[in-house]
Amino acid sequence: MRIEIWADVVCPWAYIGKRRLEAALAGWDGEPVEVVWRPFRIDPMAPRKAEPLAEWQIDPLADEALSACTPDGLSPVENATRVSRIAADAGLGTPFGAVWRADSGPAHRLIALAHERGGAALQNAVVEEVLKAHFVTARDISDPDVLAEAARAAGFADGGDLLASGAGTDRVREDLLRGKAIGVRSSPTLVAGKRALAGAQSPEAMTAFLRDAADTPPERELPEEVERLRLAESLLDKRDPLGALTLLRPLLAEHGTEWSVRVLAARAYYHSAQLERARTELESLTARSPDDAYLRLLLGRTLERQGRPEDAAPHLRLAAAMRQDEE
């Protein structure tokens, strides 16, 4: 059974959640569990060069970012106090807490690369070293040298060199979009199949989650292309057309003639204001399926947005007539 932990390494609850899951797994007597770490960003606007965390936390704009890593509606100050106490209880030591507002993007790339090169065990070791650096030894984990040191300590000797090459960038970008598509909204969130557990809950709650996931019959595994298409559609429904197009890119390259791929791409072009691309695709699609009311409507609206009302009018009239016939 695979458990995915969607978490940001600058979120203290990710570290606490890691310890609590380890406690749950220590007493687990069910089927073997593979733990895989996936990226989440609570502060995607963090500067590339780290700055003192205390200075940022007094900015009102910080509250929104921190809320993704603050359970129960606590204020950042209340959360910090609670975190310090719980971290000590979890054996994470004192003092506990970050000093730097660090860009976690490079750390997420390192963690993804560790899984790609060495599997779940190496990835878990890298996660541990990165979290320890950020929360225990107060290091700047946006610093490539700090991450290279963490990688070496975890047994990932070439991690720093891979990171410097830019490797892992596309993988993390896609994983972040996948997390958004499946509804991950906080750090940490545990996902097993279609089941999710948000927050660094108690070992007992995590054990119950594991048992529930193990007792749930697995769903039929979909082909990678179908899963990618569904995730892209979910992103479009969540008003992220550019994210949808990012996930669609491989499908457009390999299956660009498939009807479902073309229709979804046309919708994403329209909603991302790439109107000329939307028009070209929709004209081709309506020529192939002239009685599709939705495509006619979308083409008409595209032409309207391009400032071409006379060209749009026939398509809008046809779409309206088709829908009346359907009723």
Side-chain angles (χ1 to χ4, degrees):
M1 179 172 62
R2 168 177 285 191
I3 303 295
E4 293 182 318
I5 305 178
W6 298 83
D8 199 338
V9 289
V10 297
C11 173
W13 292 102
Y15 207 176
I16 293 168
K18 184 175 186 294
R19 284 292 183 270
R20 289 177 170 178
L21 179 59
E22 289 166 351
L25 290 173
W28 176 249
D29 57 1
E31 64 178 286
V33 176
E34 178 190 40
V35 177
V36 178
W37 290 79
R38 303 296 189 195
F40 182 83
R41 300 293 299 274
I42 64 171
D43 185 18
M45 301 305 293
R48 288 194 174 186
K49 182 176 177 56
E51 62 185 23
L53 185 62
E55 293 180 8
W56 175 63
Q57 287 178 330
I58 63 175
D59 186 337
L61 295 177
D63 287 349
E64 183 177 353
L66 292 171
S67 66
C69 181
T70 305
D72 305 326
L74 300 178
S75 72
V77 173
E78 292 170 330
N79 186 50
T81 301
R82 183 184 180 193
V83 162
S84 295
R85 174 178 55 79
I86 293 175
D89 292 343
L92 295 174
T94 55
F96 177 90
V99 172
W100 299 102
R101 181 193 181 193
D103 176 9
S104 61
H108 285 306
R109 288 199 291 118
L110 181 67
I111 290 166
L113 288 166
H115 185 261
E116 181 181 294
R117 295 303 178 97
L122 179 61
Q123 186 190 47
N124 185 68
V126 169
V127 170
E128 179 67 29
E129 292 298 328
V130 170
L131 289 169
K132 183 167 66 175
H134 188 62
F135 290 108
V136 178
T137 58
R139 307 289 298 280
D140 171 12
I141 61 167
S142 66
D143 185 329
D145 292 336
V146 172
L147 289 176
E149 182 181 327
R152 287 193 297 271
F156 188 20
D158 57 345
D161 291 338
L162 287 169
L163 199 63
S165 74
T169 300
D170 290 343
R171 175 74 270 165
V172 169
R173 182 185 297 117
E174 286 209 354
D175 278 349
L176 287 168
L177 290 172
R178 186 162 74 89
K180 182 177 181 179
I182 66 175
V184 175
R185 294 185 294 178
S186 60
S187 171
T189 297
L190 278 63
V191 175
K194 298 297 182 182
R195 298 188 174 276
L197 181 71
Q201 298 195 28
S202 68
E204 293 75 19
M206 290 188 175
T207 298
F209 172 74
L210 292 171
R211 188 175 298 112
D212 188 33
D215 291 342
T216 302
E219 295 189 348
R220 181 173 61 89
E221 189 171 341
L222 296 173
E224 194 277 334
E225 294 84 357
V226 175
E227 181 68 17
R228 182 177 286 271
L229 190 69
R230 289 189 175 183
L231 292 171
E233 188 165 20
S234 176
L235 287 174
L236 193 55
D237 291 342
K238 296 177 187 298
R239 300 183 179 181
D240 186 359
L242 292 177
L245 285 169
T246 296
L247 291 187
L248 280 176
R249 193 174 297 134
L251 297 182
L252 288 168
E254 298 178 21
H255 307 280
T257 60
E258 293 289 334
W259 182 261
S260 57
V261 174
R262 295 181 63 192
V263 171
L264 190 57
R267 291 174 56 201
Y269 291 143
Y270 173 80
H271 288 290
S272 62
Q274 299 181 61
L275 298 179
E276 188 58 24
R277 299 185 76 173
R279 181 192 64 80
T280 300
E281 191 63 69
L282 287 164
E283 286 180 342
S284 175
L285 290 167
T286 52
R288 180 176 167 184
S289 183
D291 58 350
D292 190 313
Y294 174 74
L295 293 176
R296 285 282 181 190
L297 177 63
L298 197 58
L299 176 55
R301 288 179 175 173
T302 299
L303 290 166
E304 278 188 326
R305 291 177 67 186
Q306 287 187 309
R308 299 167 58 180
E310 292 183 0
D311 294 330
H315 297 290
L316 295 174
R317 285 196 298 269
L318 275 171
M322 291 174 188
R323 292 192 168 190
Q324 286 179 348
D325 290 343
E326 291 174 359
E327 295 174 357

